[in-house]
């Protein structure tokens, strides 16, 4: 059975923790390991921060949309903005790349997402926005599903 939640919030940095905690609470119903929960919270933080800082360039009157779904032990996360978009996704995914070097950003957001999740799909169009869709089959439920 698929269970899903959707959250929409303004593009202010303080809401990054709201997104992280909301997803953690929602995912906790299927009893993930602490490591899985930490990974999920980390990728939510990275994706939401990217939307706020890079997508909206810290314009606080925009909206970030987050959807989290659980289906047979698999977590699906979708983080979406209607910001400036990414011109070249492949370059943006390179470790240490950042469009804001003056902000001392590490440029590891997409790398972290790819390392912590089973699948990461990024779609983006300049001037339209970016959607990040990530999935992870929880280890704690893999044995139950096989």
């Amino acid at each position: 059975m698929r269970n899903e939640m959707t959250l929409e919030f303004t593009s202010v940095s303080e809401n990054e923790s709201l997104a992280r905690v909301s997803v953690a609470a929602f995912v906790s119903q299927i009893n993930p390991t602490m490591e899985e929960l930490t990974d999920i919270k980390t990728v939510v933080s990275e994706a939401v921060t990217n939307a706020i800082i890079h997508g909206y360039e810290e314009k606080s009157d925009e909206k970030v949309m987050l959807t989290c779904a659980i289906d047979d032990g698999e977590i699906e996360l979708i983080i979406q903005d209607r910001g400036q978009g990414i011109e070249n996704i492949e370059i943006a995914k390179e470790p240490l790349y950042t469009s804001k070097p003056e902000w001392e950003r590490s440029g590891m957001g997409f790398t972290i997402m790819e390392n912590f999740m089973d699948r990461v799909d990024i779609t983006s169009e300049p001037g339209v926005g970016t959607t990040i869709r990530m999935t992870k089959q929880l280890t704690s439920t893999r044995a139950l599903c096989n």
Side-chain angles (χ1 to χ4, degrees):
M1 179 181 95
R2 184 174 170 91
N3 190 9
E4 183 176 292
M5 72 148 199
T6 302
L7 183 63
E8 182 177 280
F9 48 89
T10 54
S11 55
V12 294
S13 294
E14 293 82 5
N15 285 335
E16 175 270 327
S17 61
L18 167 69
R20 187 179 63 240
V21 170
S22 297
V23 169
F26 184 74
V27 169
S28 290
Q29 66 186 289
I30 60 170
N31 200 26
T33 65
M34 285 303 292
E35 181 179 354
E36 290 168 335
L37 197 55
T38 299
D39 290 353
I40 291 165
K41 288 167 44 178
T42 300
V43 300
V44 168
S45 293
E46 293 293 338
V48 169
T49 298
N50 279 354
I52 293 169
I53 290 177
H54 300 288
Y56 292 129
E57 296 191 314
E58 295 197 286
K59 294 176 188 159
S60 62
D61 58 343
E62 302 292 342
K63 300 289 185 193
V64 176
M65 289 71 61
L66 182 150
T67 301
C68 181
I70 301 168
D71 192 2
D72 205 21
E74 183 177 73
I75 305 301
E76 179 183 48
L77 296 166
I78 302 169
I79 293 90
Q80 187 173 34
D81 69 66
R82 293 186 188 104
Q84 69 179 22
I86 302 169
E87 281 193 41
N88 188 322
I89 293 171
E90 291 309 309
I91 289 174
K93 288 170 54 177
E94 290 179 9
L96 305 178
Y97 172 81
T98 180
S99 64
K100 306 273 186 218
E102 68 278 10
W103 291 10
E104 298 181 22
R105 306 293 305 165
S106 70
M108 295 297 290
F110 288 134
T111 302
I112 290 168
M113 291 178 222
E114 289 174 334
N115 283 323
F116 287 4
M117 301 299 282
D118 296 334
R119 183 178 174 130
V120 177
D121 294 312
I122 304 161
T123 55
S124 189
E125 187 176 333
V128 176
T130 301
T131 299
I132 301 172
R133 181 182 308 265
M134 301 177 277
T135 59
K136 183 178 187 77
Q137 180 70 46
L138 298 188
T139 306
S140 55
T141 60
R142 279 192 180 124
L144 300 173
C145 296
N146 292 332

